[in-house]
Amino acid sequence: MAILVTGGLGYIGSHTVVELLNNNYEVVIVDDLSNSEKFILKNIEEITGKKPVFYPFDLKRKELLAQVFDAHPIDGCINFAASKAVGESQLKPVDYYENNLFSLINILQEFKQRGISNFIFSSSCTVYGQADQMPIDENTPLKMPESVYGKTKQMGEEILTDFAKAYHRKVSLLRYFNPIGAHPSAKIGELPIGIPNNLVPYVMQTAAGVREKLSIWGDDYPTEDGTAVRDYIYVVDLAKAHVAALKKLMEDESNVATIDIFNLGTGKGSSVLEVVKAFETANDVKVPYQICDRREGDITIAFANVDKAKEELQWKSDTSLEEALKTVWEWQKYLKNRNT
Ligand code: NAD
Ligand code: WQD
């Protein structure tokens, strides 16, 4: 049996494909390369010694998707494919709803018609908005997300919940906190396409001299050092959680709807300044920065309660912030060599 991994050449998808191959799953990737590059496939093969099947097309093309299901005995899907830039989603709402929701619905149509279960969805801590209490557990009430991107994640969760209930299928909604880092081989990582929106890729490029200075968005938050706090989770740990979540779904042979929801984080909050300092210490480099006004739409603090994933998936993230940030620097060096 094979697992369909959509967006499998993207940042989190590529790390998950490596873990799936290492656990002897057959992997079929669909990725339209809208936010990834073909060399990632070659590098996945170098890391694992295995060759996943790869189809380069847009999941909105239903007829091509049907052919993939005809050609392979698909037994489950991990659906990473989505557009993910929060700011861009505000400017291009229709495109974001179209890409993130039509892709999802097209896969679910195939699942429905062919009687396939086992669907894992990349959700996000953004569905909680600014939660009233820390840490955030899975029962924390969801708030209307500020961004169109966040709304596509909340809608995706609702669509999948209805799908599972109506057709008695098994779904897992994985709410990632802030993924960071790269593979220890430094052959796959987060591709810096354009100016990074996220903190760690921006820190990486500033340390490398690609950007002059990091702008820290606000030091007047009600936190210990005044900068905002997030839960930064190492991407390889996050990838392993997908394998654990998939195993759990596949081991469940009951014919009833299953809707698993898991927060995937470390359980520990770190401030922006702490991340900058940890990067400098881990890699013995300087990260010049300036303090700026707050970024619109940003929350003050978010970190996860990860007890549920520990108990039900026997999974936890044990990579420290500094260890994760070392892999970021190795990845930057790899990218630099590649481009010279
Ligand atoms: P990414 O952009 O690196 O990966 C997404 C991949 O999907 C890309 O390779 C892109 O080319 C592909 N893709 C997009 N639309 C497609 C389409 N219509 N058809 C085929 N391929 C398509 O993003 P990522 O950081 O790896 O995120 C993966 C998932 O996790 C996304 O759903 C994202 O919303 C979610 N997520 C990411 C974060 C984060 O901070 N990175 C946090 C929470 C949730
Ligand atoms: C982290 C902290 C910034 C850049 C976003 C999405 C969310 C989820 C994760 C997908 C914040 C500060 C950042 C910079 C800075 N993604 N920062 N200077 O905002 O927690 O969440 O990614 O689901 O939906 O909104 O992550 O990495 O952008 O920011 O000071 O140049 O770093 O203000 O406090 P965020 P981030």
Side-chain angles (χ1 to χ4, degrees), residues 108-140:
L108 292 182
Q109 285 287 8
E110 295 298 330
F111 265 53
K112 182 193 83 182
Q113 284 160 25
R114 297 170 195 256
I116 310 171
S117 200
N118 306 322
F119 195 100
I120 295 186
F121 179 63
S122 298
S123 190
S124 166
C125 61
T126 196
V127 299
Y128 296 114
Q130 178 57 74
D132 297 330
Q133 280 184 342
M134 291 300 131
I136 300 171
D137 69 24
E138 290 82 355
N139 295 319
T140 300

PDB file of all heavy atoms in Angstrom, residues 108-140:
ATOM      1  N   LEU A 108     -10.386  14.500  -1.178  1.00  0.00           N
ATOM      2  CA  LEU A 108     -11.465  13.847  -0.413  1.00  0.00           C
ATOM      3  C   LEU A 108     -12.495  13.195  -1.335  1.00  0.00           C
ATOM      4  O   LEU A 108     -13.071  12.160  -0.984  1.00  0.00           O
ATOM      5  CB  LEU A 108     -12.140  14.845   0.533  1.00  0.00           C
ATOM      6  CG  LEU A 108     -11.252  15.322   1.684  1.00  0.00           C
ATOM      7  CD1 LEU A 108     -12.024  16.266   2.603  1.00  0.00           C
ATOM      8  CD2 LEU A 108     -10.702  14.145   2.490  1.00  0.00           C
ATOM      9  N   GLN A 109     -12.717  13.779  -2.499  1.00  0.00           N
ATOM     10  CA  GLN A 109     -13.631  13.145  -3.468  1.00  0.00           C
ATOM     11  C   GLN A 109     -13.106  11.758  -3.847  1.00  0.00           C
ATOM     12  O   GLN A 109     -13.854  10.792  -3.906  1.00  0.00           O
ATOM     13  CB  GLN A 109     -13.781  13.999  -4.732  1.00  0.00           C
ATOM     14  CG  GLN A 109     -14.656  15.230  -4.564  1.00  0.00           C
ATOM     15  CD  GLN A 109     -16.154  14.894  -4.458  1.00  0.00           C
ATOM     16  OE1 GLN A 109     -16.548  13.737  -4.366  1.00  0.00           O
ATOM     17  NE2 GLN A 109     -16.982  15.933  -4.444  1.00  0.00           N
ATOM     18  N   GLU A 110     -11.793  11.685  -4.078  1.00  0.00           N
ATOM     19  CA  GLU A 110     -11.194  10.387  -4.431  1.00  0.00           C
ATOM     20  C   GLU A 110     -11.314   9.417  -3.257  1.00  0.00           C
ATOM     21  O   GLU A 110     -11.642   8.250  -3.435  1.00  0.00           O
ATOM     22  CB  GLU A 110      -9.718  10.545  -4.836  1.00  0.00           C
ATOM     23  CG  GLU A 110      -9.491  11.360  -6.098  1.00  0.00           C
ATOM     24  CD  GLU A 110     -10.122  10.743  -7.343  1.00  0.00           C
ATOM     25  OE1 GLU A 110     -10.240   9.504  -7.419  1.00  0.00           O
ATOM     26  OE2 GLU A 110     -10.513  11.504  -8.244  1.00  0.00           O
ATOM     27  N   PHE A 111     -11.026   9.919  -2.060  1.00  0.00           N
ATOM     28  CA  PHE A 111     -11.126   9.079  -0.864  1.00  0.00           C
ATOM     29  C   PHE A 111     -12.552   8.551  -0.705  1.00  0.00           C
ATOM     30  O   PHE A 111     -12.772   7.378  -0.415  1.00  0.00           O
ATOM     31  CB  PHE A 111     -10.723   9.889   0.385  1.00  0.00           C
ATOM     32  CG  PHE A 111      -9.288   9.715   0.783  1.00  0.00           C
ATOM     33  CD1 PHE A 111      -8.276   9.910  -0.137  1.00  0.00           C
ATOM     34  CD2 PHE A 111      -8.940   9.361   2.085  1.00  0.00           C
ATOM     35  CE1 PHE A 111      -6.939   9.752   0.226  1.00  0.00           C
ATOM     36  CE2 PHE A 111      -7.615   9.188   2.455  1.00  0.00           C
ATOM     37  CZ  PHE A 111      -6.621   9.387   1.526  1.00  0.00           C
ATOM     38  N   LYS A 112     -13.506   9.443  -0.863  1.00  0.00           N
ATOM     39  CA  LYS A 112     -14.924   9.083  -0.688  1.00  0.00           C
ATOM     40  C   LYS A 112     -15.310   7.990  -1.672  1.00  0.00           C
ATOM     41  O   LYS A 112     -15.815   6.946  -1.288  1.00  0.00           O
ATOM     42  CB  LYS A 112     -15.775  10.340  -0.915  1.00  0.00           C
ATOM     43  CG  LYS A 112     -17.248  10.149  -0.716  1.00  0.00           C
ATOM     44  CD  LYS A 112     -18.034  11.326  -1.250  1.00  0.00           C
ATOM     45  CE  LYS A 112     -18.240  11.177  -2.744  1.00  0.00           C
ATOM     46  NZ  LYS A 112     -18.955  12.268  -3.377  1.00  0.00           N
ATOM     47  N   GLN A 113     -15.010   8.242  -2.955  1.00  0.00           N
ATOM     48  CA  GLN A 113     -15.441   7.304  -4.003  1.00  0.00           C
ATOM     49  C   GLN A 113     -14.750   5.958  -3.889  1.00  0.00           C
ATOM     50  O   GLN A 113     -15.322   4.932  -4.213  1.00  0.00           O
ATOM     51  CB  GLN A 113     -15.149   7.889  -5.381  1.00  0.00           C
ATOM     52  CG  GLN A 113     -16.134   8.982  -5.778  1.00  0.00           C
ATOM     53  CD  GLN A 113     -15.565   9.877  -6.872  1.00  0.00           C
ATOM     54  OE1 GLN A 113     -14.694   9.465  -7.636  1.00  0.00           O
ATOM     55  NE2 GLN A 113     -16.037  11.106  -6.928  1.00  0.00           N
ATOM     56  N   ARG A 114     -13.498   5.965  -3.451  1.00  0.00           N
ATOM     57  CA  ARG A 114     -12.720   4.718  -3.456  1.00  0.00           C
ATOM     58  C   ARG A 114     -12.689   4.039  -2.087  1.00  0.00           C
ATOM     59  O   ARG A 114     -11.959   3.063  -1.885  1.00  0.00           O
ATOM     60  CB  ARG A 114     -11.290   5.005  -3.942  1.00  0.00           C
ATOM     61  CG  ARG A 114     -11.252   5.507  -5.386  1.00  0.00           C
ATOM     62  CD  ARG A 114      -9.873   6.002  -5.769  1.00  0.00           C
ATOM     63  NE  ARG A 114      -9.892   6.793  -6.985  1.00  0.00           N
ATOM     64  CZ  ARG A 114      -9.486   6.367  -8.187  1.00  0.00           C
ATOM     65  NH1 ARG A 114      -8.992   5.175  -8.334  1.00  0.00           N
ATOM     66  NH2 ARG A 114      -9.557   7.163  -9.232  1.00  0.00           N
ATOM     67  N   GLY A 115     -13.397   4.601  -1.131  1.00  0.00           N
ATOM     68  CA  GLY A 115     -13.485   3.964   0.191  1.00  0.00           C
ATOM     69  C   GLY A 115     -12.185   4.008   0.983  1.00  0.00           C
ATOM     70  O   GLY A 115     -11.920   3.129   1.807  1.00  0.00           O
ATOM     71  N   ILE A 116     -11.360   5.029   0.737  1.00  0.00           N
ATOM     72  CA  ILE A 116     -10.069   5.103   1.440  1.00  0.00           C
ATOM     73  C   ILE A 116     -10.237   5.911   2.740  1.00  0.00           C
ATOM     74  O   ILE A 116     -11.009   6.873   2.796  1.00  0.00           O
ATOM     75  CB  ILE A 116      -8.991   5.762   0.548  1.00  0.00           C
ATOM     76  CG1 ILE A 116      -8.961   5.095  -0.833  1.00  0.00           C
ATOM     77  CG2 ILE A 116      -7.617   5.698   1.209  1.00  0.00           C
ATOM     78  CD1 ILE A 116      -8.087   5.823  -1.846  1.00  0.00           C
ATOM     79  N   SER A 117      -9.492   5.493   3.770  1.00  0.00           N
ATOM     80  CA  SER A 117      -9.546   6.207   5.058  1.00  0.00           C
ATOM     81  C   SER A 117      -8.170   6.845   5.300  1.00  0.00           C
ATOM     82  O   SER A 117      -7.430   7.064   4.343  1.00  0.00           O
ATOM     83  CB  SER A 117      -9.920   5.200   6.146  1.00  0.00           C
ATOM     84  OG  SER A 117     -10.430   5.869   7.266  1.00  0.00           O
ATOM     85  N   ASN A 118      -7.820   7.157   6.511  1.00  0.00           N
ATOM     86  CA  ASN A 118      -6.457   7.576   6.901  1.00  0.00           C
ATOM     87  C   ASN A 118      -6.006   8.877   6.230  1.00  0.00           C
ATOM     88  O   ASN A 118      -5.231   8.868   5.272  1.00  0.00           O
ATOM     89  CB  ASN A 118      -5.415   6.493   6.574  1.00  0.00           C
ATOM     90  CG  ASN A 118      -5.783   5.158   7.173  1.00  0.00           C
ATOM     91  OD1 ASN A 118      -6.295   5.105   8.294  1.00  0.00           O
ATOM     92  ND2 ASN A 118      -5.566   4.095   6.445  1.00  0.00           N
ATOM     93  N   PHE A 119      -6.507   9.977   6.756  1.00  0.00           N
ATOM     94  CA  PHE A 119      -6.160  11.278   6.181  1.00  0.00           C
ATOM     95  C   PHE A 119      -5.526  12.161   7.250  1.00  0.00           C
ATOM     96  O   PHE A 119      -6.114  12.398   8.312  1.00  0.00           O
ATOM     97  CB  PHE A 119      -7.424  11.962   5.642  1.00  0.00           C
ATOM     98  CG  PHE A 119      -7.113  13.112   4.717  1.00  0.00           C
ATOM     99  CD1 PHE A 119      -7.181  12.953   3.344  1.00  0.00           C
ATOM    100  CD2 PHE A 119      -6.725  14.349   5.228  1.00  0.00           C
ATOM    101  CE1 PHE A 119      -6.879  14.001   2.480  1.00  0.00           C
ATOM    102  CE2 PHE A 119      -6.413  15.403   4.381  1.00  0.00           C
ATOM    103  CZ  PHE A 119      -6.496  15.231   3.008  1.00  0.00           C
ATOM    104  N   ILE A 120      -4.338  12.647   6.954  1.00  0.00           N
ATOM    105  CA  ILE A 120      -3.647  13.534   7.910  1.00  0.00           C
ATOM    106  C   ILE A 120      -3.565  14.934   7.325  1.00  0.00           C
ATOM    107  O   ILE A 120      -3.147  15.114   6.175  1.00  0.00           O
ATOM    108  CB  ILE A 120      -2.249  12.986   8.244  1.00  0.00           C
ATOM    109  CG1 ILE A 120      -2.420  11.642   8.972  1.00  0.00           C
ATOM    110  CG2 ILE A 120      -1.466  13.976   9.101  1.00  0.00           C
ATOM    111  CD1 ILE A 120      -1.145  11.042   9.492  1.00  0.00           C
ATOM    112  N   PHE A 121      -3.976  15.903   8.114  1.00  0.00           N
ATOM    113  CA  PHE A 121      -4.078  17.284   7.635  1.00  0.00           C
ATOM    114  C   PHE A 121      -3.115  18.182   8.394  1.00  0.00           C
ATOM    115  O   PHE A 121      -3.047  18.147   9.621  1.00  0.00           O
ATOM    116  CB  PHE A 121      -5.517  17.772   7.860  1.00  0.00           C
ATOM    117  CG  PHE A 121      -5.773  19.192   7.426  1.00  0.00           C
ATOM    118  CD1 PHE A 121      -5.647  19.566   6.095  1.00  0.00           C
ATOM    119  CD2 PHE A 121      -6.158  20.159   8.349  1.00  0.00           C
ATOM    120  CE1 PHE A 121      -5.901  20.874   5.693  1.00  0.00           C
ATOM    121  CE2 PHE A 121      -6.418  21.469   7.956  1.00  0.00           C
ATOM    122  CZ  PHE A 121      -6.283  21.822   6.625  1.00  0.00           C
ATOM    123  N   SER A 122      -2.383  19.021   7.636  1.00  0.00           N
ATOM    124  CA  SER A 122      -1.479  20.003   8.242  1.00  0.00           C
ATOM    125  C   SER A 122      -2.291  21.192   8.720  1.00  0.00           C
ATOM    126  O   SER A 122      -2.607  22.085   7.937  1.00  0.00           O
ATOM    127  CB  SER A 122      -0.510  20.543   7.194  1.00  0.00           C
ATOM    128  OG  SER A 122       0.299  19.551   6.669  1.00  0.00           O
ATOM    129  N   SER A 123      -2.620  21.188   9.993  1.00  0.00           N
ATOM    130  CA  SER A 123      -3.282  22.371  10.540  1.00  0.00           C
ATOM    131  C   SER A 123      -2.232  23.203  11.278  1.00  0.00           C
ATOM    132  O   SER A 123      -1.032  22.960  11.150  1.00  0.00           O
ATOM    133  CB  SER A 123      -4.443  21.969  11.447  1.00  0.00           C
ATOM    134  OG  SER A 123      -5.196  23.116  11.767  1.00  0.00           O
ATOM    135  N   SER A 124      -2.698  24.162  12.016  1.00  0.00           N
ATOM    136  CA  SER A 124      -1.750  25.145  12.563  1.00  0.00           C
ATOM    137  C   SER A 124      -2.259  25.676  13.897  1.00  0.00           C
ATOM    138  O   SER A 124      -3.479  25.768  14.114  1.00  0.00           O
ATOM    139  CB  SER A 124      -1.644  26.292  11.555  1.00  0.00           C
ATOM    140  OG  SER A 124      -1.022  27.402  12.130  1.00  0.00           O
ATOM    141  N   CYS A 125      -1.313  26.088  14.732  1.00  0.00           N
ATOM    142  CA  CYS A 125      -1.685  26.713  15.996  1.00  0.00           C
ATOM    143  C   CYS A 125      -2.434  28.028  15.754  1.00  0.00           C
ATOM    144  O   CYS A 125      -3.039  28.580  16.669  1.00  0.00           O
ATOM    145  CB  CYS A 125      -0.457  26.970  16.847  1.00  0.00           C
ATOM    146  SG  CYS A 125       0.707  28.088  16.048  1.00  0.00           S
ATOM    147  N   THR A 126      -2.398  28.503  14.520  1.00  0.00           N
ATOM    148  CA  THR A 126      -3.093  29.751  14.194  1.00  0.00           C
ATOM    149  C   THR A 126      -4.605  29.624  14.438  1.00  0.00           C
ATOM    150  O   THR A 126      -5.285  30.626  14.639  1.00  0.00           O
ATOM    151  CB  THR A 126      -2.760  30.174  12.741  1.00  0.00           C
ATOM    152  OG1 THR A 126      -3.109  31.527  12.555  1.00  0.00           O
ATOM    153  CG2 THR A 126      -3.472  29.331  11.707  1.00  0.00           C
ATOM    154  N   VAL A 127      -5.119  28.380  14.464  1.00  0.00           N
ATOM    155  CA  VAL A 127      -6.568  28.204  14.696  1.00  0.00           C
ATOM    156  C   VAL A 127      -6.979  28.627  16.114  1.00  0.00           C
ATOM    157  O   VAL A 127      -8.146  28.874  16.369  1.00  0.00           O
ATOM    158  CB  VAL A 127      -7.056  26.752  14.431  1.00  0.00           C
ATOM    159  CG1 VAL A 127      -6.822  26.348  12.990  1.00  0.00           C
ATOM    160  CG2 VAL A 127      -6.419  25.755  15.389  1.00  0.00           C
ATOM    161  N   TYR A 128      -6.006  28.739  17.016  1.00  0.00           N
ATOM    162  CA  TYR A 128      -6.336  29.151  18.395  1.00  0.00           C
ATOM    163  C   TYR A 128      -6.341  30.672  18.550  1.00  0.00           C
ATOM    164  O   TYR A 128      -6.799  31.177  19.583  1.00  0.00           O
ATOM    165  CB  TYR A 128      -5.322  28.574  19.386  1.00  0.00           C
ATOM    166  CG  TYR A 128      -5.314  27.064  19.478  1.00  0.00           C
ATOM    167  CD1 TYR A 128      -4.215  26.317  19.061  1.00  0.00           C
ATOM    168  CD2 TYR A 128      -6.406  26.380  20.007  1.00  0.00           C
ATOM    169  CE1 TYR A 128      -4.201  24.939  19.160  1.00  0.00           C
ATOM    170  CE2 TYR A 128      -6.390  24.987  20.106  1.00  0.00           C
ATOM    171  CZ  TYR A 128      -5.289  24.282  19.684  1.00  0.00           C
ATOM    172  OH  TYR A 128      -5.278  22.912  19.790  1.00  0.00           O
ATOM    173  N   GLY A 129      -5.781  31.405  17.560  1.00  0.00           N
ATOM    174  CA  GLY A 129      -5.633  32.855  17.737  1.00  0.00           C
ATOM    175  C   GLY A 129      -4.830  33.124  19.005  1.00  0.00           C
ATOM    176  O   GLY A 129      -3.975  32.322  19.398  1.00  0.00           O
ATOM    177  N   GLN A 130      -5.101  34.282  19.656  1.00  0.00           N
ATOM    178  CA  GLN A 130      -4.448  34.514  20.951  1.00  0.00           C
ATOM    179  C   GLN A 130      -5.265  33.818  22.036  1.00  0.00           C
ATOM    180  O   GLN A 130      -6.306  34.322  22.478  1.00  0.00           O
ATOM    181  CB  GLN A 130      -4.311  36.003  21.261  1.00  0.00           C
ATOM    182  CG  GLN A 130      -3.673  36.268  22.632  1.00  0.00           C
ATOM    183  CD  GLN A 130      -2.291  35.611  22.801  1.00  0.00           C
ATOM    184  OE1 GLN A 130      -1.316  36.050  22.248  1.00  0.00           O
ATOM    185  NE2 GLN A 130      -2.197  34.509  23.576  1.00  0.00           N
ATOM    186  N   ALA A 131      -4.813  32.644  22.439  1.00  0.00           N
ATOM    187  CA  ALA A 131      -5.543  31.871  23.446  1.00  0.00           C
ATOM    188  C   ALA A 131      -5.509  32.606  24.781  1.00  0.00           C
ATOM    189  O   ALA A 131      -4.555  33.340  25.077  1.00  0.00           O
ATOM    190  CB  ALA A 131      -4.914  30.490  23.564  1.00  0.00           C
ATOM    191  N   ASP A 132      -6.550  32.389  25.586  1.00  0.00           N
ATOM    192  CA  ASP A 132      -6.630  33.093  26.872  1.00  0.00           C
ATOM    193  C   ASP A 132      -5.675  32.519  27.903  1.00  0.00           C
ATOM    194  O   ASP A 132      -5.290  33.208  28.847  1.00  0.00           O
ATOM    195  CB  ASP A 132      -8.070  33.032  27.401  1.00  0.00           C
ATOM    196  CG  ASP A 132      -9.015  33.766  26.455  1.00  0.00           C
ATOM    197  OD1 ASP A 132      -8.558  34.720  25.801  1.00  0.00           O
ATOM    198  OD2 ASP A 132     -10.190  33.357  26.353  1.00  0.00           O
ATOM    199  N   GLN A 133      -5.334  31.234  27.741  1.00  0.00           N
ATOM    200  CA  GLN A 133      -4.460  30.608  28.750  1.00  0.00           C
ATOM    201  C   GLN A 133      -3.334  29.827  28.106  1.00  0.00           C
ATOM    202  O   GLN A 133      -3.511  29.267  27.028  1.00  0.00           O
ATOM    203  CB  GLN A 133      -5.294  29.619  29.574  1.00  0.00           C
ATOM    204  CG  GLN A 133      -6.107  30.326  30.621  1.00  0.00           C
ATOM    205  CD  GLN A 133      -6.858  29.334  31.512  1.00  0.00           C
ATOM    206  OE1 GLN A 133      -7.045  28.173  31.166  1.00  0.00           O
ATOM    207  NE2 GLN A 133      -7.275  29.811  32.661  1.00  0.00           N
ATOM    208  N   MET A 134      -2.196  29.795  28.778  1.00  0.00           N
ATOM    209  CA  MET A 134      -1.050  28.991  28.323  1.00  0.00           C
ATOM    210  C   MET A 134      -0.830  27.861  29.322  1.00  0.00           C
ATOM    211  O   MET A 134      -1.054  28.067  30.505  1.00  0.00           O
ATOM    212  CB  MET A 134       0.216  29.845  28.264  1.00  0.00           C
ATOM    213  CG  MET A 134       0.214  30.884  27.177  1.00  0.00           C
ATOM    214  SD  MET A 134       0.054  30.181  25.535  1.00  0.00           S
ATOM    215  CE  MET A 134      -1.265  31.208  24.899  1.00  0.00           C
ATOM    216  N   PRO A 135      -0.322  26.706  28.942  1.00  0.00           N
ATOM    217  CA  PRO A 135      -0.132  26.297  27.554  1.00  0.00           C
ATOM    218  C   PRO A 135      -1.470  25.973  26.880  1.00  0.00           C
ATOM    219  O   PRO A 135      -2.486  25.805  27.571  1.00  0.00           O
ATOM    220  CB  PRO A 135       0.737  25.048  27.686  1.00  0.00           C
ATOM    221  CG  PRO A 135       0.390  24.475  29.015  1.00  0.00           C
ATOM    222  CD  PRO A 135       0.068  25.640  29.897  1.00  0.00           C
ATOM    223  N   ILE A 136      -1.435  25.864  25.569  1.00  0.00           N
ATOM    224  CA  ILE A 136      -2.642  25.632  24.787  1.00  0.00           C
ATOM    225  C   ILE A 136      -2.845  24.124  24.622  1.00  0.00           C
ATOM    226  O   ILE A 136      -1.988  23.446  24.049  1.00  0.00           O
ATOM    227  CB  ILE A 136      -2.492  26.277  23.396  1.00  0.00           C
ATOM    228  CG1 ILE A 136      -2.255  27.796  23.524  1.00  0.00           C
ATOM    229  CG2 ILE A 136      -3.692  25.977  22.522  1.00  0.00           C
ATOM    230  CD1 ILE A 136      -1.872  28.474  22.212  1.00  0.00           C
ATOM    231  N   ASP A 137      -3.956  23.603  25.157  1.00  0.00           N
ATOM    232  CA  ASP A 137      -4.225  22.181  24.870  1.00  0.00           C
ATOM    233  C   ASP A 137      -5.284  22.081  23.775  1.00  0.00           C
ATOM    234  O   ASP A 137      -5.806  23.100  23.319  1.00  0.00           O
ATOM    235  CB  ASP A 137      -4.582  21.394  26.145  1.00  0.00           C
ATOM    236  CG  ASP A 137      -5.923  21.792  26.711  1.00  0.00           C
ATOM    237  OD1 ASP A 137      -6.784  22.299  25.954  1.00  0.00           O
ATOM    238  OD2 ASP A 137      -6.121  21.603  27.928  1.00  0.00           O
ATOM    239  N   GLU A 138      -5.593  20.857  23.376  1.00  0.00           N
ATOM    240  CA  GLU A 138      -6.462  20.664  22.207  1.00  0.00           C
ATOM    241  C   GLU A 138      -7.905  21.075  22.490  1.00  0.00           C
ATOM    242  O   GLU A 138      -8.696  21.235  21.554  1.00  0.00           O
ATOM    243  CB  GLU A 138      -6.420  19.197  21.732  1.00  0.00           C
ATOM    244  CG  GLU A 138      -5.096  18.782  21.083  1.00  0.00           C
ATOM    245  CD  GLU A 138      -3.987  18.412  22.077  1.00  0.00           C
ATOM    246  OE1 GLU A 138      -4.187  18.563  23.304  1.00  0.00           O
ATOM    247  OE2 GLU A 138      -2.914  17.975  21.620  1.00  0.00           O
ATOM    248  N   ASN A 139      -8.256  21.233  23.778  1.00  0.00           N
ATOM    249  CA  ASN A 139      -9.630  21.664  24.095  1.00  0.00           C
ATOM    250  C   ASN A 139      -9.758  23.173  24.193  1.00  0.00           C
ATOM    251  O   ASN A 139     -10.844  23.691  24.462  1.00  0.00           O
ATOM    252  CB  ASN A 139     -10.096  21.034  25.416  1.00  0.00           C
ATOM    253  CG  ASN A 139     -10.203  19.532  25.271  1.00  0.00           C
ATOM    254  OD1 ASN A 139     -10.671  19.048  24.239  1.00  0.00           O
ATOM    255  ND2 ASN A 139      -9.739  18.802  26.276  1.00  0.00           N
ATOM    256  N   THR A 140      -8.661  23.870  24.032  1.00  0.00           N
ATOM    257  CA  THR A 140      -8.709  25.341  24.056  1.00  0.00           C
ATOM    258  C   THR A 140      -9.647  25.809  22.942  1.00  0.00           C
ATOM    259  O   THR A 140      -9.529  25.344  21.799  1.00  0.00           O
ATOM    260  CB  THR A 140      -7.285  25.905  23.817  1.00  0.00           C
ATOM    261  OG1 THR A 140      -6.440  25.410  24.864  1.00  0.00           O
ATOM    262  CG2 THR A 140      -7.279  27.423  23.816  1.00  0.00           C
TER     263      THR A 140
END
